[in-house]
Amino acid sequence: MSDKVNLFDFDREALTAWFAEQGEKPFRARQLMKWIYHERVTDFDAMTDLSKSLREKLKATAELRFPTVIADRLASDGTRKWVFRYDCGNSIETVFIPEDDRGTLCISSQAGCALACPFCSTAHEGFNRNLTSGEIIVQVWLAKEMLNCDRHGNNRVVTNVVLMGMGEPLVNFNNVLPATRLMMDDYAFGLSKRRVTLSTSGIVPAIHTLREVTDLSLAVSLHAPNDELRNQIVPVNARYGLDALLDACHQYVQHNGQHGGVTWEYVMLRGVNDSLEHAQQLVELLRGIPGKINLIPFNAFPGSRFECSKRGDILAFQRYLTENGYVATIRKTRGEDIDAACGQLVGQVKDRSRRERKLSRKEVETL
């Protein structure tokens, strides 16, 4: 790997500090960010308002590091999926979902995932490592570039970014945070906090830390209304149970004044978590915490033991929630014909799970 610094790794604060180390003025960071993120220029020689000496310094010490695009697939419904390869043979998947009023980009934060949720295909691939900040944010940069230069003749726009792809973002807290800051920085992608969403399975200490440093939108992969069931399908619950998780989410909403609250993600698994009794428990569980419930039809993948709930059961579940005052939506399945639907992202991961799961727990305990 190159010994040059990867400029994609720096948010504005870090880039300003790096320029100071080079003996440069703070405003150089803003200038460079505008070239990279607004003008989408990657050739230092073309950054004409930088001095020649600075351009030469940048060429000698810095670079913009890109992954290899090994797959670019378009689904029949317009969903588009890319597979990006990083070092050591690992690759991750990024998905763009177009809607009439928005374009949502689903990005990955890890090569694989160590949390082992049995209904998620990423977990079946195991875990290799955290992505760097640069490897996270470059997914947004490349997606915007390829959508604007779409060989299919479309000029789509990324209006929302969700960290709901491969990996658990809050286990990779220190790399995810600078990337999300770039998403919301006016000198980079300039998205509002309502349009950047981090989805977590429930790393409680990191949720507490997160609320002190950012106010982006929070989504929680809940999937069960009681600890006994959630321990089985979201294993991290055995470490951070529902009482602690809901308290952390309540504090996050209160601290950041988020009137929209938390998005609760609930995958519908036939005969597992989809009865009216489960709906009743869910109503009681979430009482008093602002938010909406997103019911997700399970998307099958090879080796899974689960089935999607019957459509009638999903509708009955939704109806009970709405009758009890909750906003409950059913997520439309998108990109299923290219394995780009929720829970289907796998990439190519060299699994090191047995060792890395222990490391991840140590990292979590320090947050």
Side-chain angles (χ1 to χ4, degrees), residues 150-189:
D150 196 335
R151 66 178 184 271
H152 305 290
N154 299 311
N155 186 24
R156 302 189 180 108
V157 177
V158 174
T159 62
N160 297 62
V161 177
V162 295
L163 286 101
M164 296 182 183
M166 298 172 62
E168 165 53 62
L170 290 186
V171 172
N172 190 13
F173 188 98
N174 291 333
N175 290 322
V176 164
L177 185 62
T180 59
R181 285 174 172 160
L182 283 170
M183 294 172 204
M184 296 184 286
D185 194 315
D186 286 341
Y187 286 95
F189 294 107

Side-chain angles (χ1 to χ4, degrees), residues 178-223:
T180 59
R181 285 174 172 160
L182 283 170
M183 294 172 204
M184 296 184 286
D185 194 315
D186 286 341
Y187 286 95
F189 294 107
L191 297 172
S192 77
K193 63 185 180 184
R194 294 185 303 276
R195 295 184 178 273
V196 177
T197 301
L198 183 150
S199 176
T200 177
S201 294
I203 312 299
V204 168
I207 296 174
H208 287 301
T209 304
L210 188 72
R211 75 165 185 268
E212 300 297 332
V213 293
T214 189
D215 58 352
L216 50 71
S217 297
L218 184 67
V220 173
S221 297
L222 193 62
H223 308 314

Side-chain angles (χ1 to χ4, degrees), residues 325-358:
Y326 289 86
V327 176
T329 59
I330 300 174
R331 181 178 294 176
K332 185 187 300 183
T333 297
R334 300 293 301 273
E336 194 172 17
D337 55 332
I338 57 169
D339 294 331
C342 182
Q344 289 186 320
L345 304 188
V346 293
Q348 296 174 8
V349 176
K350 293 186 175 180
D351 183 26
R352 298 192 300 153
S353 295
R354 292 181 180 178
R355 184 163 65 91
E356 292 297 342
R357 280 180 188 152
K358 295 178 183 179

